Amino acid sequence: MALQTASTRSRLMITVLMLLCSLILFACGAAPQPSAPAAPQAGGATPPPTTVPAAPVETRPQATSRSRLVFFGNLEPASIDVITMSGNVNERQVAAQIFETLVYMDQSQQIYPGLAREWRRSDDATTWTFTLVSGVKWHDGEPFTAQSVADYFEYVRDNPVGSGPGSLKAVIGSARALDETTVELTLTAPRPDLLIELADPGMGIGNAAYVKRVGADAGFNSIGTGPFKFKEWVRGSQIVLERNPEWTWGSPMFNMDGPPLIEEVVFRFSSEAQTRLAALETGEVDFVDLLPFQDVVRVRTDPRFTVTGVLLPGMPQMNYLNTSLAPTDDLNVRRAIIYATDKQGIIESVYFNMVEPAYGPLSRVFPEYEPALEQMYEYNPEKAIQLLEESGWRLGPDGVRVKDGQRLAVTIVENKGWNDWVYVLQANLQAVGFDAQVITTQGPSNTEAIASGRHHVPAMGDVFASASQMTRDWHSEGYGTFPSGHFLRGEESARLDAMLKDAETEIDPERRKAKYREIQRFIMENALMVPIFELYFYVAHANNLKGFIVDGTGFYKYFAPAYFE
């Protein structure tokens, strides 16, 4: 059996290399190991501190050698308003500069004051009181008060919203301003991880009055309170933000008492990794996300640049398995897909051994991670074939399996620029008898494709800092770009929904850990996903760009304190 498996892998690797001919292999020694953020800690029975002192941060200069910072990401946003945006990370990256959160979290998972300078919660984590910084103004000059925060939470509760605030929608009971700078938020269920959730850039405090007034247009000309204001959006080209000269109330995390030194932040986007890298190397841009894995070592040795790799907390890179469509409504077929997936081959051929395999729906950096999943499925195409045969799928003359006159056909959805492994997965499935086709989507078309429920194996990943945010990936209600009920149905769907809601309200850390581990086992026992690899990403920036801060997920960058030496 082992010899057959090795032979199968060899044949597949030849196919993989042909499919990935556009990738440039590099010869080097052991891959540099990315750093991982500390594991986020679940909320315990003890209420969090009311204030947190700022950690020592390097002294900021009084001037910067350049006034314009150009950031090159992989996907143009569909919206940059925190209330309306769908939730993809590119939207959050831009919105993080325009909007401010009540609290912030740094890369060591320390919580800092944001728009809220102090806070307290009830013992059962259902009532939270925030004391806000005074003197804040919206970008249009209107005052920002406790009523602004109350209006935001009530708007989220009562209206369709994006995936950031949408994750809290079901538990917002009421929000009321106690005075000009104090707001009380009452929840319908305990939310021990609320501070971690509120620190997500997607939970910036949105301007509900403005969204009510202009509707969807708010997503293209946003008004926040943050260090940068919206200036222009040239669709298909760039988004330009300009310094907010009145911003003097920044979080202690930024260690600054005035507006940013950078006058403009420009966001450009291309799904072509080599295009982004070429722009960095020619000096057109200062910062690139998602550095091509095959170029990491070369760029790292270039004295002009700094390369950073981070293991991001969240849901690993993976593929959902849609239980509402044939043939993936059959548990044996879903398990066969997992057994047929050569994730080690993917890691070697696509990611140059610079990532680690994933085994379930939660990153290993979390204390709630279930290590037992590592033994549940191995790469075993013979086992996949056995399961398919047991379900009546017989090999046809063209190599595709057939049952009751139907071909064993599945569609794999790729979000261009994010899911380079899908062509290897396609070859893996074809090798055991699937008619597997890849559909390439991007941006809004990807959101539509996943939400439609018309595809069997859509690719996905998610960045978050608390296990409770699994709900947005797995609850049948769905949030923004995240799935709806078609990924599980009937009594099993209701059971998973109940498990998620129960776990996210659990205050006791040990009981919480047990509940999330049960959820992970349930997902994998029902073969609801194909784990691929842990969320590793590399970024590169000009060496003279200093001072920017990375958030608690290790992904989002704050440019308020940035400067050029």
Side-chain angles (χ1 to χ4, degrees):
M1 183 71 72
L3 289 176
Q4 291 173 344
T5 299
S7 175
T8 302
R9 176 174 286 174
S10 297
R11 292 194 301 271
L12 284 171
M13 287 301 293
I14 293 172
T15 304
V16 166
L17 291 174
M18 293 175 65
L19 287 167
L20 301 172
C21 62
S22 61
L23 295 175
I24 304 172
L25 297 176
F26 66 96
C28 63
Q33 292 301 306
S35 60
Q41 297 300 308
T46 303
T50 57
T51 60
V52 181
V57 182
E58 61 179 301
T59 302
R60 308 294 176 196
Q62 298 303 306
T64 185
S65 64
R66 291 174 51 197
S67 62
R68 193 170 191 255
L69 188 161
V70 184
F71 179 96
F72 213 168
N74 75 321
L75 183 65
E76 185 174 19
S79 167
I80 55 172
D81 183 87
V82 286
I83 292 178
T84 62
M85 62 191 190
S86 66
N88 77 56
V89 294
N90 304 85
E91 294 174 334
R92 278 174 156 84
Q93 182 63 76
V94 180
Q97 320 307 322
I98 301 172
F99 295 90
E100 295 175 280
T101 47
L102 288 175
V103 296
Y104 285 88
M105 184 167 65
D106 69 10
Q107 208 166 353
S108 66
Q109 271 70 44
Q110 180 168 322
I111 297 292
Y112 287 83
L115 288 171
R117 286 308 200 244
E118 297 181 1
W119 52 86
R120 64 182 183 273
R121 79 170 200 199
S122 61
D123 289 342
D124 65 357
T126 60
T127 301
W128 295 75
T129 305
F130 299 94
T131 301
L132 308 178
V133 62
S134 59
V136 177
K137 294 181 180 179
W138 294 105
H139 292 157
D140 61 1
E142 291 296 315
F144 173 91
T145 66
Q147 190 61 51
S148 305
V149 178
D151 290 345
Y152 163 78
F153 282 115
E154 293 197 335
Y155 185 92
V156 168
R157 181 193 63 195
D158 299 335
N159 296 273
V161 292
S163 71
S167 63
L168 286 180
K169 183 179 179 68
V171 296
I172 297 174
S174 64
R176 63 190 183 108
L178 305 183
D179 55 41
E180 284 292 298
T181 60
T182 309
V183 64
E184 181 183 81
L185 176 64
T186 302
L187 307 177
T188 60
R191 204 74 170 191
D193 279 352
L194 183 67
L195 293 182
I196 296 176
E197 293 181 80
L198 293 179
D200 186 299
M203 286 298 301
I205 300 301
N207 192 327
Y210 178 62
V211 173
K212 287 179 182 178
R213 188 166 70 249
V214 304
D217 287 345
F220 305 100
N221 185 1
S222 301
I223 293 178
T225 63
F228 294 96
K229 302 190 295 183
F230 176 83
K231 182 178 181 180
E232 69 171 353
W233 187 342
V234 181
R235 300 296 292 178
S237 177
Q238 63 184 22
I239 297 171
V240 181
L241 310 181
E242 61 183 352
R243 175 174 58 187
N244 179 6
E246 297 188 30
W247 188 73
T248 57
W249 51 80
S251 167
M253 184 177 76
F254 299 140
N255 193 31
M256 54 195 298
D257 56 8
L261 295 177
I262 298 292
E263 293 180 7
E264 279 191 347
V265 180
V266 179
F267 290 90
R268 292 173 51 189
F269 307 95
S270 172
S271 61
E272 301 298 333
Q274 291 300 327
T275 299
R276 297 194 300 272
L277 178 55
L280 178 71
E281 293 184 308
T282 59
E284 293 177 46
V285 304
D286 307 299
F287 201 120
V288 294
D289 251 348
L290 303 181
L291 185 67
F293 284 86
Q294 69 268 24
D295 294 300
V296 167
V297 171
R298 178 178 63 79
V299 178
R300 183 168 264 166
T301 59
D302 190 323
R304 297 176 298 167
F305 307 117
T306 296
V307 175
T308 305
V310 177
L311 169 58
L312 307 178
M315 180 172 70
Q317 296 286 59
M318 49 79 82
N319 290 81
Y320 285 114
L321 293 173
N322 190 339
T323 68
S324 296
L325 295 177
T328 47
D329 58 346
D330 183 335
L331 178 60
N332 271 1
V333 171
R334 299 198 301 274
R335 287 177 173 169
I337 290 173
I338 302 175
Y339 280 117
T341 302
D342 183 7
K343 70 180 72 174
Q344 190 57 45
I346 289 171
I347 289 169
E348 292 170 5
S349 63
V350 183
Y351 299 101
F352 306 96
N353 288 314
M354 303 187 82
V355 299
E356 296 180 359
Y359 300 95
L362 196 63
S363 169
R364 63 175 175 80
V365 305
F366 289 101
E368 296 89 352
Y369 173 71
E370 174 54 278
L373 301 185
E374 296 172 13
Q375 309 303 319
M376 186 172 290
Y377 296 95
E378 76 279 5
Y379 171 57
N380 190 337
E382 286 74 23
K383 177 69 172 177
I385 290 170
Q386 176 189 336
L387 290 169
L388 294 173
E389 290 282 346
E390 288 177 4
S391 282
W393 292 98
R394 303 290 181 248
L395 201 61
D398 62 352
V400 174
R401 294 181 179 275
V402 178
K403 176 182 177 182
D404 299 330
Q406 299 297 313
R407 291 163 64 83
L408 185 60
V410 295
T411 53
I412 303 167
V413 178
E414 171 196 19
N415 190 3
K416 189 175 182 180
W418 287 104
N419 315 132
D420 293 336
W421 73 85
V422 295
Y423 297 99
V424 185
L425 175 61
Q426 178 186 32
N428 291 158
L429 299 187
Q430 289 171 343
V432 297
F434 281 86
D435 175 7
Q437 302 298 321
V438 172
I439 297 175
T440 298
T441 61
Q442 188 172 5
S445 69
N446 179 255
T447 303
E448 180 183 358
I450 294 175
S452 72
R454 296 192 300 267
H455 304 292
H456 307 84
V457 195
M460 182 59 85
D462 194 9
V463 179
F464 52 75
S466 166
S468 61
Q469 289 171 288
M470 284 185 72
T471 302
R472 74 184 188 191
D473 294 310
W474 293 101
H475 196 278
S476 64
E477 291 175 358
Y479 301 103
T481 59
F482 301 96
S484 297
H486 51 261
F487 291 97
L488 195 61
R489 57 185 182 177
E491 293 181 3
E492 293 297 85
S493 176
R495 180 182 171 195
L496 180 57
D497 283 353
M499 292 166 68
L500 288 164
K501 290 297 185 181
D502 179 47
E504 73 180 15
T505 63
E506 180 57 65
I507 294 177
D508 181 84
E510 290 306 310
R511 287 200 297 266
R512 168 196 175 89
K513 186 183 297 184
K515 289 177 179 180
Y516 276 108
R517 289 183 174 181
E518 181 185 6
I519 289 169
Q520 293 167 75
R521 291 192 297 271
F522 178 89
I523 288 170
M524 294 312 299
E525 286 165 359
N526 284 278
L528 301 181
M529 65 175 287
V530 186
I532 306 294
F533 67 92
E534 292 275 1
L535 277 163
Y536 279 86
F537 290 114
Y538 290 83
V539 302
H541 62 83
N543 259 340
N544 65 335
L545 175 61
K546 307 290 185 180
F548 65 89
I549 291 176
V550 179
D551 86 322
T553 67
F555 187 85
Y556 302 106
K557 279 69 67 176
Y558 296 110
F559 293 123
Y563 62 92
F564 288 96
E565 283 186 333

